[in-house]
Amino acid sequence: MEGNQRSHAHERRHHHHGPGRTGGVGRNGGSRTAGVRHRLAHFVRPHRHEAGEKVDAAMETSREGVRTLWISLAVLGATTAVQAVIVALSGSVALLGDTIHNAADALTALPLGVAFVLGRRAADRRYTYGYGRAEDLAGILIVTTIAASAALAAWVAVDRLVNPRDITHLWAVAAAALAGFAGNEWVARFRIRTGRKIGSAALVADGLHARTDGFTSLAVLLGAGGAALGWRVADPVVGLLITAAILLVLKDAAREVYRRLMDAVDPGLVDDAERALRGVPGVLGIGQVRMRWIGHALRAEADIVVAPHLTVVQAHEVAVAAEHALLHAVPRLTAATLHTDHTPTGTSDPHAALSHHGERSR
């Protein structure tokens, strides 16, 4: 805690944001400049102040995410249906693997859609942080679906290597491959754009997954070209290559889901938060800063050090100003809990009563 002692001031969640600076709480002449700069930043990049407005914003982002998922499901569903018909006509294993992958990618919209709908529910006394974690559960289902599609594509490709057969309607296979690429690329751009807009890492990851699927669709062209030249194993070999591509996507998706489940955040966000806190008038130092994703929204906890002579009201105003600065500095941050400490005032430790709790007393 940078050598400071904790005060008995307060540790509370702020729902309504007060002024950015307060009288008598500042850093000499720099406080006026900081206050002007803060008001300018607020004008350029305003944010919502009331808890109800924040809930409305979260619900709107969820609606936009659900709308994106259903449109993506329709596009990929149509692409998969076209490819399935051509698989039945041609017997192409490579195209079958691509069709399975596209179907699995379309079906990932279902758990994500359910997660977005659940995320709209308000927090209650049992789920005090709300239901945003449903997106993490959806991520687990998505990873499981990708793994199952990889296993099925691999099994079909190996079976075709062991029992080779000719494929027909090569022109239709090539056309289906191009249709698969076009459908996946459109869905990828749509999901990535919406995911970045609403701050959903799961939706962005799903968009990147769709983009990879588009390139695996192009690989089907190689199998069709090899078959046209008389190389019978070209089609199942390309099917195995597509399986390898699915496994690469699986690795990246599993890593992202694991990080979310372990409350990982971009270290740069923590740097931004610390930089913002140090610039708040009245904050003499900072302690621990923690963040976690809950769905597609961030929450933060931070310890700040203030002067020991401040009243409870003044210390609270500094904490409110600190949360205000965090909301401006950290994208997708919806709430922050600030704990105020004070600089040392003597030899007594105000946390002596917590000492027998070990790590929790720090």
Side-chain angles (χ1 to χ4, degrees):
M1 296 295 297
E2 300 183 358
N4 60 286
Q5 299 178 3
R6 292 180 183 257
S7 69
H8 299 290
H10 78 292
E11 181 177 6
R12 59 168 293 181
R13 163 80 173 87
H14 307 290
H15 287 287
H16 184 78
H17 305 291
R21 62 186 290 267
T22 60
V25 183
R27 287 183 175 176
N28 302 324
S31 61
R32 180 173 301 174
T33 303
V36 173
R37 184 168 60 249
H38 172 79
R39 285 192 291 272
L40 286 174
H42 191 283
F43 176 77
V44 173
R45 194 174 68 180
H47 60 271
R48 299 180 182 269
H49 285 241
E50 299 296 338
E53 291 178 335
K54 288 181 179 179
V55 172
D56 290 343
M59 290 180 66
E60 182 57 36
T61 58
S62 293
R63 290 191 188 100
E64 191 166 356
V66 170
R67 186 165 55 248
T68 299
L69 288 171
W70 293 141
I71 293 174
S72 299
L73 175 61
V75 173
L76 285 179
T79 302
T80 301
V82 170
Q83 288 185 321
V85 171
I86 298 176
V87 166
L89 292 174
S90 65
S92 171
V93 170
L95 185 58
L96 175 60
D98 191 44
T99 303
I100 293 171
H101 197 189
N102 285 334
D105 191 31
L107 292 176
T108 59
L110 298 178
L112 264 181
V114 172
F116 279 132
V117 172
L118 278 177
R120 298 178 188 174
R121 299 181 61 179
D124 53 39
R125 294 183 65 83
R126 182 176 296 276
Y127 297 96
T128 56
Y129 284 95
Y131 293 79
R133 287 287 193 180
E135 285 191 35
D136 298 331
L137 296 178
I140 295 175
L141 292 176
I142 289 172
V143 169
T144 303
T145 301
I146 296 172
S149 67
L152 181 58
W155 179 81
V156 173
V158 170
D159 178 70
R160 186 57 56 84
L161 278 174
V162 175
N163 304 296
R165 53 172 285 192
D166 294 329
I167 63 174
T168 59
H169 300 81
L170 293 178
W171 63 270
V173 172
L178 292 175
F181 171 77
N184 276 290
E185 181 60 22
W186 188 91
V187 167
R189 294 189 180 190
F190 191 33
R191 287 180 176 177
I192 291 171
R193 182 172 63 250
T194 302
R196 287 174 177 168
K197 179 180 178 181
I198 69 175
S200 173
L203 193 54
V204 172
D206 219 23
L208 295 174
H209 175 201
R211 175 158 288 167
T212 303
D213 290 351
F215 289 109
T216 59
S217 294
L218 289 180
V220 176
L221 287 173
L222 298 177
L229 296 175
W231 189 27
R232 298 182 68 186
V233 296
D235 188 62
V237 166
V238 170
L240 289 175
L241 291 176
I242 291 175
T243 301
I246 299 175
L247 292 176
L248 290 176
V249 172
L250 175 64
K251 177 181 72 69
D252 292 339
R255 182 178 58 202
E256 290 301 316
V257 171
Y258 167 78
R259 287 177 176 174
R260 277 299 177 93
L261 291 174
M262 294 297 293
D263 287 332
V265 297
D266 182 356
L269 294 178
V270 180
D271 295 337
D272 292 341
E274 292 177 342
R275 193 177 303 113
L277 290 174
R278 290 191 179 97
V280 175
V283 175
L284 306 180
I286 60 174
Q288 213 169 26
V289 176
R290 302 174 185 172
M291 293 184 187
R292 64 169 56 176
W293 284 99
I294 300 179
H296 45 272
L298 273 172
R299 294 183 67 97
E301 301 173 10
D303 300 320
I304 58 174
V305 183
V306 300
H309 65 271
L310 298 183
T311 66
V312 172
V313 172
Q314 290 173 324
H316 175 259
E317 289 174 339
V318 175
V320 170
E323 182 182 8
H324 199 178
L326 286 176
L327 290 171
H328 277 295
V330 181
R332 310 309 306 174
L333 182 68
T334 58
T337 301
L338 278 299
H339 179 88
T340 56
D341 294 340
H342 61 74
T343 53
T345 58
T347 57
S348 62
D349 181 6
H351 299 107
L354 301 175
S355 61
H356 64 283
H357 290 290
E359 290 293 324
R360 289 191 294 172
S361 67
R362 292 186 178 181

